[in-house]
Amino acid sequence: MLRAGIVAALLLLAGCAGDAGYRALPDAVQRPHPHTVPHTDRQGVALSAYDPLRSFLPLALGGALADYAAGPSRGFQAAFAADFNAVSADPGQPLPALLSAANGSRVQLLVPKIETADAALLDAGRAVVIEMPRDPMQAGRFAASARAHPDRPVWALLPAYARGEEKLIDPAQARALAFAALVHGATGLIWQGEDNYAARNAGALGISAAPRLDYGITINGADMPPPRRVGADEAAASRRLWDAVAQLNRRIGRLRAALLQSDVDAGYSVEIRSATAVGGPVLRTALKPWEGDWLLIVVNLQDRSHDMRIRFDDGFRRVLHLDSEIPLQQDAARGLLHDTIEPWGLRLYKVTR
């Protein structure tokens, strides 16, 4: 009996020590849309509730040029192939050409104001476009700006370019930025921007499925710097980031029904193991309806991994990785989920109640 009591006491102490080894993250849980989710349809008409037939989540390529070589009706085909569903085009090209390319490539053309009737036009005038900082740990600046516009759709302008001595962001960093924007309330993403001769004349390197070292077109005046020319490594980085954004487009597109619905009103908390804790914001989460269950989104804003624990106040039946068969450490009766998230990592969980 004495031995059993000692073992029980040691187990109890071990449990307490485990609790003491975690640090609560009260700022992790985000609920930017507790009641309504301002967004639009494909033409920019305002919506506040999810409509499976009309609700539109723009995944746009900024600074895009219609590729005349691909033909007048296929000018944005590369964007469509990468699962962009919209483009914000360079204003230097005529609108009829842009419309022909948008209609033929099946993407929406973002314009500040619709002045001609066309199904491919998306009136962006109702949305607020907010720039996302390059550092995911600075996502709070985006969140603060988004909170200032609770009744308007918010689209995040994401940095897919490099100027001067800058380098293109890492694909994992791009994923963290995109999902940080979404959990903070964005209902559209604009990746700025496409790599083309206009971008190079502006001194920038963007993203492209087939970036060139030099586009061979100069539109700058004689008193301005020549177009930017890049090396093979920079061109390869452009293609890698393009491919990564294309994968993100596909993943986010599948989540449209969840992202454009109000946040779930359920109590849960997020903790990380104290040994992995560092200063600054760490994790951000959102809980959304998903096919009769819940979708829990967790994004790591830091470039270091963390052991995390998520506790649901009212428990759950089970939790599964949404896009993986890797088993999870969980205690359904106590509502506890344990996992490790990699630097700038993302976790999508299906929570069955």
Side-chain angles (χ1 to χ4, degrees):
M1 292 293 292
L2 179 60
R3 180 183 177 88
I6 292 174
V7 170
L10 288 173
L11 290 173
L12 180 60
L13 286 173
C16 292
D19 287 348
Y22 282 84
R23 177 167 70 88
L25 300 177
D27 295 334
V29 176
Q30 303 297 306
R31 292 189 176 93
H33 299 304
H35 305 298
T36 61
V37 183
H39 61 286
T40 73
D41 67 4
R42 295 183 69 90
Q43 280 72 51
V45 176
L47 301 173
S48 60
Y50 177 69
D51 183 327
L53 299 179
R54 295 182 61 198
S55 292
F56 187 63
L57 196 161
L59 301 171
L61 176 63
L65 290 177
D67 182 3
Y68 294 147
S73 64
R74 294 176 60 85
F76 295 126
Q77 193 62 30
F80 176 76
D83 282 88
F84 290 100
N85 58 21
V87 296
S88 175
D90 186 282
Q93 293 186 303
L95 181 60
L98 295 175
L99 281 175
S100 177
N103 276 302
S105 302
R106 291 180 287 174
V107 297
Q108 297 303 106
L109 181 64
L110 274 60
V111 292
K113 182 180 180 181
I114 292 182
E115 297 179 349
T116 183
D118 195 291
L121 289 176
L122 195 168
D123 184 350
R126 293 181 177 85
V128 177
V129 179
I130 300 174
E131 185 176 0
M132 172 65 80
R134 297 174 73 88
D135 181 358
M137 289 183 64
Q138 299 298 318
R141 289 160 49 190
F142 172 88
S145 297
R147 285 194 296 270
H149 304 280
D151 301 321
R152 296 179 64 184
V154 170
W155 297 345
L157 187 66
L158 298 163
Y161 65 91
R163 294 182 186 274
E165 298 301 316
E166 287 179 335
K167 292 184 178 181
L168 290 170
I169 58 175
D170 182 88
Q173 186 179 357
R175 179 182 60 195
L177 289 174
F179 275 89
L182 293 169
V183 301
H184 283 119
T187 56
L189 304 178
I190 304 173
W191 293 93
Q192 185 67 30
E194 184 184 63
D195 190 57
N196 49 47
Y197 70 82
R200 296 292 185 83
N201 275 265
L205 168 66
I207 58 173
S208 171
R212 301 181 189 177
L213 304 185
D214 186 350
Y215 286 89
I217 300 175
T218 300
I219 57 177
N220 291 340
D223 58 339
M224 298 178 67
R228 179 170 178 168
R229 190 180 189 282
V230 303
D233 289 346
E234 290 175 296
S238 171
R239 174 59 188 265
R240 280 196 302 272
L241 186 53
W242 173 275
D243 291 342
V245 172
Q247 291 178 4
L248 281 171
N249 288 340
R250 294 171 192 127
R251 176 178 265 182
I252 294 168
R254 291 194 294 267
L255 302 178
R256 176 183 68 110
L259 295 170
L260 297 182
Q261 293 193 65
S262 301
D263 303 306
V264 172
D265 183 17
Y268 71 101
S269 58
V270 181
E271 303 167 317
I272 59 170
R273 193 177 295 276
S274 299
T276 67
V278 294
V282 185
L283 307 179
R284 291 294 181 264
T285 70
L287 191 63
K288 294 285 189 175
W290 180 254
E291 298 178 347
D293 295 307
W294 295 339
L295 170 68
L296 176 63
I297 304 170
V298 183
V299 58
N300 184 2
L301 304 182
Q302 298 191 343
D303 60 352
R304 62 178 296 166
S305 62
H306 293 286
D307 296 330
M308 62 180 180
R309 181 171 68 181
I310 300 172
R311 185 191 303 269
F312 286 86
D313 295 353
D314 296 325
F316 52 77
R317 287 175 56 195
R318 66 175 179 174
V319 178
L320 300 173
H321 282 293
L322 191 63
D323 47 12
S324 169
E325 296 183 358
I326 299 175
L328 285 166
Q329 182 182 354
Q330 55 190 282
D331 183 340
R334 298 173 63 197
L336 289 176
L337 166 67
H338 296 258
D339 203 353
T340 299
I341 189 167
E342 68 275 13
W344 291 327
L346 172 71
R347 291 291 181 271
L348 302 174
Y349 302 111
K350 181 178 181 180
V351 182
T352 302
R353 296 165 286 169

